[in-house]
Amino acid sequence: MIFRRSGAILFAFILFILTLGLIPPVGRMLLEHYAFKPGVIQAIAGSQTPVAFQGLIFQEKALTSSDILPVYGSSEFSAESEFHPTKFYYGKPDGFVPFLMGRGGSQSLVHVLSLAAQGNALYNKKVMVILSPQWFETGGITSQYLEQNFSPLQTYQILYDPSLSTGVKQQLSKRLLEFPEVVNKYPILAKNLAYHARNASLNRPVQILVNAAGRVEWWGLQVRDLYNTAMFIPLVNKHVIAQNAVNPVPKAPDWTVLMKKAEKQGRESTDNNSWGILNSYYSKYIEPEFAQKAGSQRTERLYPSPEYQDLQLLMQVLQEQKAEAMFVIVPVNGFWYDYTGFSRQEREAYYTRIKKMIEQNGFESADFSQHEYDRYFLQDIMHLGWKGWLEVDQAMDQFYH
């Protein structure tokens, strides 16, 4: 009787595992057929939802859609203006829309997870990555930023993807294990990372069990991604979907006229200070502590930093999958950084270092480092503004076409 009952329990468990493993591929087929109607993924492009940049499905659809340019960045996506890419390319006026992935704290390591998890979907695809100087401060990404943007689903996807090299998996595993307060919240994943970090073969019973448990957890996370995706799509504005379902005749922008307009808007939006900083930002963050900020960044540096190794790992992933990538080099507000004492020589060394990394890895760059003293290029002391976004819009246009 006991053996019969145990056998029944074991059979039920095996059946559950098999069913769990079948749900993701079947669920994706159903989503593809019933949910991803024309215009849906394009309408989601500017939402910046965690369902997209911490999941798998939306990113894969973005990469495989011919009228989408995936763009990976961070807090600059919150710097809104008429020239923000979501607004500028609304309705595909030039034949495509940028799909924005990331938010504040999304640095190189976070983008490694997002992009490496796409595996073969990256093959020969174009992606843009917007780099911020603040990422490269001496500590690199913080535990807080990694935790709020971390995706165990993407991490498992990378570990179990045969198209990714052992070297990438080992480097990533070692790096993630430097953040125990993040990965230890997922004990099974942490054990799998430990094995991959040592490049250990899964031949001992414990290792085999850990690997099996990881795969079950991975399937469960895929089911959750399916659910989150299915729940998000009905929330998308139907009018926006309809607009993105059509393909208007591309119309070349008049960049000269638009730049004059951006200059005018920037001037009007920064008229309560002489630093070219958005009025509301200046009043809230700068003016109250203006005197104390003088010379306050005199000792800060942009090298050494673990961020450079994270960026190199990101580039390695893109190289292995033969992706075409453009990296955008964003400047800081030179007037403000001079006032706070942040060495100009240090900043210029950073721009040179990044440009060299991009070139040595065989990728394109849109280098805007010469715009440190260009008023209205930035909206505040570090985020893209009216003229800055327009320059990036033009870089997107040239890169896509």
Side-chain angles (χ1 to χ4, degrees), residues 53 73-75 101-108 110-111 135 141 145 148-149:
F53 63 78
S74 54
S75 56
M101 282 174 274
R103 62 180 174 186
S106 296
Q107 298 180 203
S108 302
V110 173
H111 296 320
W135 297 1
I141 189 170
Y145 282 158
Q148 71 187 28
N149 294 297

Side-chain angles (χ1 to χ4, degrees), residues 99-168:
F99 198 112
L100 309 185
M101 282 174 274
R103 62 180 174 186
S106 296
Q107 298 180 203
S108 302
L109 185 57
V110 173
H111 296 320
V112 169
L113 294 175
S114 290
L115 286 161
Q118 291 304 317
N120 286 329
L122 270 175
Y123 185 76
N124 277 346
K125 296 298 190 299
K126 290 185 176 183
V127 298
M128 175 179 276
V129 181
I130 301 176
L131 303 174
S132 297
Q134 295 73 31
W135 297 1
F136 296 85
E137 293 173 358
T138 51
I141 189 170
T142 64
S143 293
Q144 179 185 354
Y145 282 158
L146 179 60
E147 182 173 5
Q148 71 187 28
N149 294 297
F150 182 68
S151 170
L153 168 61
Q154 292 172 353
T155 307
Y156 272 126
Q157 186 76 15
I158 293 165
L159 296 182
Y160 296 136
D161 186 348
S163 75
L164 292 168
S165 70
T166 301
V168 163

Side-chain angles (χ1 to χ4, degrees), residues 27-296:
R28 283 200 175 205
M29 287 173 57
L30 293 173
L31 274 179
E32 189 68 38
H33 186 73
Y34 294 105
F36 282 116
K37 302 297 183 182
V40 168
I41 192 67
Q42 292 79 3
I44 295 168
S47 66
Q48 298 175 58
T49 171
V51 180
F53 63 78
Q54 289 182 300
L56 296 174
I57 299 170
F58 282 148
Q59 288 195 60
E60 183 180 323
K61 285 295 295 181
L63 281 165
T64 54
S65 299
S66 61
D67 58 351
I68 286 179
L69 175 65
V71 182
Y72 293 79
S74 54
S75 56
E76 67 278 345
F77 289 155
S78 64
E80 294 277 345
S81 79
E82 178 183 337
F83 305 99
H84 188 282
T86 298
K87 294 182 178 179
F88 188 82
Y89 285 110
Y90 179 80
K92 299 190 292 188
D94 202 18
F96 76 99
V97 291
F99 198 112
L100 309 185
M101 282 174 274
R103 62 180 174 186
S106 296
Q107 298 180 203
S108 302
L109 185 57
V110 173
H111 296 320
V112 169
L113 294 175
S114 290
L115 286 161
Q118 291 304 317
N120 286 329
L122 270 175
Y123 185 76
N124 277 346
K125 296 298 190 299
K126 290 185 176 183
V127 298
M128 175 179 276
V129 181
I130 301 176
L131 303 174
S132 297
Q134 295 73 31
W135 297 1
F136 296 85
E137 293 173 358
T138 51
I141 189 170
T142 64
S143 293
Q144 179 185 354
Y145 282 158
L146 179 60
E147 182 173 5
Q148 71 187 28
N149 294 297
F150 182 68
S151 170
L153 168 61
Q154 292 172 353
T155 307
Y156 272 126
Q157 186 76 15
I158 293 165
L159 296 182
Y160 296 136
D161 186 348
S163 75
L164 292 168
S165 70
T166 301
V168 163
K169 295 175 184 180
Q170 186 175 23
Q171 289 180 67
L172 178 61
S173 297
K174 286 180 177 179
R175 180 67 171 128
L176 289 175
L177 289 169
E178 294 176 15
F179 299 90
E181 58 274 44
V182 177
V183 298
N184 285 348
K185 292 183 177 179
Y186 310 92
I188 298 172
L189 175 59
K191 290 186 182 299
N192 274 280
L193 288 170
Y195 287 127
H196 281 277
R198 296 198 303 271
N199 194 20
S201 58
L202 295 173
N203 52 11
R204 289 162 51 189
V206 173
Q207 293 172 325
I208 293 171
L209 284 173
V210 167
N211 181 54
R215 288 183 179 273
V216 173
E217 190 166 62
W218 174 43
W219 291 335
L221 291 167
Q222 289 182 70
V223 172
R224 184 187 299 174
D225 188 35
L226 276 169
Y227 175 80
N228 291 338
T229 302
M231 291 299 101
F232 188 84
I233 290 175
L235 303 177
V236 182
N237 187 292
K238 302 296 186 292
H239 175 68
V240 178
I241 293 174
Q243 280 194 308
N244 281 281
V246 298
N247 294 305
V249 178
K251 188 165 56 177
D254 189 330
W255 300 107
T256 303
V257 171
L258 288 167
M259 187 56 72
K260 291 178 180 177
K261 188 177 182 181
E263 175 100 22
K264 182 175 182 291
Q265 287 189 12
R267 189 184 313 111
E268 292 171 350
S269 302
T270 62
D271 57 9
N272 74 346
N273 65 90
S274 60
W275 301 88
I277 295 174
L278 182 69
N279 289 338
S280 57
Y281 187 97
Y282 181 81
S283 298
K284 185 175 182 179
Y285 298 108
I286 302 297
E287 195 171 29
E289 299 181 349
F290 182 80
Q292 298 95 302
K293 292 294 183 181
S296 61

